[in-house]
Amino acid sequence: MLVSFVFVTMTRRQQIMGTALCLMRKKGYLNTSMRDIASSVNMEAASLYNHIKGKEEILIDTCFGLAETLEIGINEVNDIYFNAAEKLSMAIHSHIKALTQDLNASHLFVHEWRHLSDDKRAQFIERRDLYEKEFRDIVILGFEEGEFKDVDPKFATLTILASLNWVGEWYRPQGEMQPKEIAEKLTHFILSGLQKN
Amino acid sequence: MLVSFVFVTMTRRQQIMGTALCLMRKKGYLNTSMRDIASSVNMEAASLYNHIKGKEEILIDTCFGLAETLEIGINEVNDIYFNAAEKLSMAIHSHIKALTQDLNASHLFVHEWRHLSDDKRAQFIERRDLYEKEFRDIVILGFEEGEFKDVDPKFATLTILASLNWVGEWYRPQGEMQPKEIAEKLTHFILSGLQKN
DNA sequence: TTGGAAAACTAACGAGTGTTAGTTAGTTTT
DNA sequence: AAAACTAACTAACACTCGTTAGTTTTCCAA
């Protein structure tokens, strides 16, 4: 299993979390057992409980951690930029940067939040809806500026976010396209589409 | 549980499959037990095996069934249309029609195929990649015609398919937007983007 | 060197998993 | 009437699951 010089500078908790996320991305949250995680960090399942409260803590910390990163990003964008096209571009950059930072965490954030317990899931959905609203407001602003077409803002926002979130499915850190370039291409594609003229 | 006049005209197998898909969309494939399915059709878990071979058969039949529907659709489009913009539009319509037909099946197709056994998963990925290639070829054709921009075809295709597949997450049959309208808006969005000019 | 916290261990609990075996009642076919 | 088939049942197998309790080992500050 993963052993590197970076490893030794991490707390045991960070090692467990990182390994767990890696397994969960590969096999899915439900399919990854505490015994799987334990054996990947060379200990017994019971010993994990000296470092984390339980299995769900992994999911909770990851989902809400990434949620916060995204919220901070969109708030910065809203503080700095005023024009919708610029805002959208920077929001896309911020979103892609956050998602490509840790693909394992992104997988939990995009796919596995469904398995949060009822109350946590409700909280998560609330924050996700709020984030979605920030994007929608940019689309609406663009229309009010006269720069964007008169599209259904909800539809457009969901379509945009779908494209952004799917990047985690095909992006490879060692590949030829880097996060910044992906964000640029996405921005261009979303703003002006596939067709000439 | 679901009992209707349609129900009586279905074979027991169809009832089981339909109920299973509904549960699996709500709770996830791994989280749905044979006992859950059984009790939803008022029988014991063991009795299910008189009608289906096992749990995975539900996933296999659903994923490969929808795969075939999509393949037939794209082949028809390729047979009938010659111009890339038209092909893309019709391919989008076909895709959206197939996905919105049965949202429960779509959920398994988009999200739960990961839990297919190794060999079946390999087969599934192969067919999915082939379908993806059909889309990519349309994008390439559009460039060769001089109608589409010089985008990275792989990137564009993945972005397009992400938008299409995500429709299953927010489309509601009783909502105001119907599949045909969704397909039209998606086509327009993908072809000409958000920005004016 | 030593006291005590931190972090590992073993063992087990109670619940749940997909699936199989064997059986039975009711219906259809021969 | 006999045989075969269908679809349900009960019971159980052989695991796996997350988690807890109690115990032992490790390791660092005093």
Side-chain angles (χ1 to χ4, degrees):
Chain A
M1 213 44 225
L2 175 68
V3 175
S4 77
F5 73 96
V6 184
F7 220 76
V8 299
T9 69
M10 293 199 284
T11 67
R12 208 82 174 96
R13 185 174 204 281
Q14 286 170 321
Q15 291 174 33
I16 290 166
M17 289 295 252
T19 306
L21 261 51
C22 177
L23 287 173
M24 286 172 178
R25 177 171 169 223
K26 208 171 343 186
K27 323 198 322 166
Y29 174 75
L30 292 173
N31 241 350
T32 303
S33 71
M34 294 300 270
R35 286 166 180 84
D36 288 336
I37 299 166
S39 82
S40 285
V41 291
N42 296 312
M43 58 168 84
E44 295 300 314
S47 308
L48 295 172
Y49 290 82
N50 288 315
H51 305 277
I52 61 175
K53 280 204 272 182
K55 190 181 178 184
E56 204 194 352
E57 197 184 39
I58 301 170
L59 190 56
I60 292 173
D61 281 16
T62 307
C63 288
F64 286 85
L66 198 41
E68 195 168 330
T69 303
L70 290 171
E71 285 162 13
I72 291 172
I74 194 82
N75 287 336
E76 277 181 12
V77 168
N78 276 326
D79 284 350
I80 300 176
Y81 300 95
F82 298 96
N83 143 314
E86 221 168 39
K87 272 192 179 186
L88 186 60
S89 169
M90 294 319 292
I92 290 170
H93 276 75
S94 155
H95 192 99
I96 296 299
K97 187 181 174 192
L99 281 197
T100 54
Q101 193 83 23
D102 182 348
L103 290 174
N104 301 331
S106 301
H107 176 261
L108 294 211
F109 179 82
V110 175
H111 292 108
E112 310 278 18
W113 59 268
R114 293 162 212 266
H115 302 115
L116 286 165
S117 58
D118 288 348
D119 58 332
K120 289 289 172 186
R121 189 171 60 251
Q123 287 175 34
F124 181 83
I125 290 174
E126 195 182 357
R127 287 175 71 168
R128 211 189 46 152
D129 287 351
L130 230 76
Y131 183 72
E132 220 168 272
K133 189 186 176 308
E134 298 288 349
F135 262 79
R136 202 161 55 239
D137 285 345
I138 296 177
V139 174
I140 294 170
L141 175 66
F143 172 67
E144 288 169 353
E145 288 176 353
E147 294 291 324
F148 289 0
K149 293 172 184 163
D150 184 14
V151 296
D152 178 343
K154 194 168 170 56
F155 163 83
T157 305
L158 289 167
T159 303
I160 292 167
L161 284 172
S163 308
L164 304 193
N165 285 332
W166 207 253
V167 168
E169 307 298 312
W170 56 264
Y171 167 67
R172 296 289 167 269
Q174 312 296 347
E176 46 186 29
M177 235 196 260
Q178 288 310 296
K180 204 174 170 183
E181 190 189 347
I182 293 172
E184 278 165 18
K185 292 197 173 186
L186 277 167
T187 303
H188 187 258
F189 192 81
I190 288 164
L191 283 177
S192 49
L194 197 55
Q195 214 162 24
K196 281 189 178 174
N197 295 337
Chain B
M1 214 41 225
L2 175 67
V3 176
S4 77
F5 73 97
V6 184
F7 219 77
V8 297
T9 70
M10 293 200 285
T11 66
R12 207 83 174 97
R13 185 175 205 280
Q14 287 171 320
Q15 291 173 32
I16 290 166
M17 288 295 251
T19 306
L21 261 51
C22 177
L23 287 173
M24 286 172 176
R25 178 171 168 224
K26 207 171 345 186
K27 321 195 326 166
Y29 174 75
L30 293 174
N31 240 352
T32 303
S33 71
M34 293 301 269
R35 286 162 181 85
D36 288 337
I37 299 166
S39 82
S40 285
V41 291
N42 295 311
M43 58 166 86
E44 295 301 314
S47 309
L48 295 172
Y49 290 82
N50 288 315
H51 305 277
I52 61 175
K53 280 204 272 183
K55 191 182 179 184
E56 204 194 353
E57 197 184 38
I58 301 170
L59 189 56
I60 292 173
D61 281 16
T62 306
C63 288
F64 285 85
L66 197 41
E68 196 170 328
T69 303
L70 290 171
E71 286 161 13
I72 291 172
I74 194 82
N75 287 336
E76 276 182 12
V77 167
N78 277 327
D79 285 349
I80 299 176
Y81 301 95
F82 298 96
N83 144 315
E86 222 168 38
K87 272 192 180 186
L88 186 61
S89 169
M90 295 318 293
I92 290 170
H93 276 75
S94 155
H95 192 98
I96 295 300
K97 187 181 172 190
L99 280 197
T100 53
Q101 194 83 20
D102 181 348
L103 290 174
N104 300 331
S106 301
H107 176 262
L108 293 212
F109 179 83
V110 175
H111 296 291
E112 309 278 19
W113 61 267
R114 290 163 214 267
H115 302 115
L116 286 165
S117 59
D118 288 347
D119 58 333
K120 289 288 170 186
R121 189 172 60 252
Q123 286 175 33
F124 181 83
I125 291 174
E126 196 183 354
R127 288 174 71 167
R128 210 190 47 151
D129 287 351
L130 230 75
Y131 182 73
E132 221 168 272
K133 188 186 176 308
E134 298 289 346
F135 262 79
R136 202 161 56 238
D137 285 344
I138 297 178
V139 174
I140 293 170
L141 175 67
F143 171 66
E144 289 168 352
E145 287 176 353
E147 295 291 323
F148 289 0
K149 293 171 183 163
D150 184 16
V151 295
D152 179 342
K154 193 165 172 61
F155 163 83
T157 305
L158 289 166
T159 304
I160 292 167
L161 283 172
S163 308
L164 304 193
N165 286 331
W166 207 252
V167 168
E169 307 299 310
W170 55 264
Y171 167 66
R172 295 290 167 269
Q174 312 296 349
E176 47 185 28
M177 235 196 261
Q178 288 311 296
K180 204 174 168 182
E181 190 188 346
I182 293 174
E184 279 165 18
K185 291 197 172 184
L186 277 167
T187 303
H188 187 258
F189 192 81
I190 288 164
L191 283 177
S192 49
L194 197 55
Q195 214 163 22
K196 280 188 179 173
N197 294 339

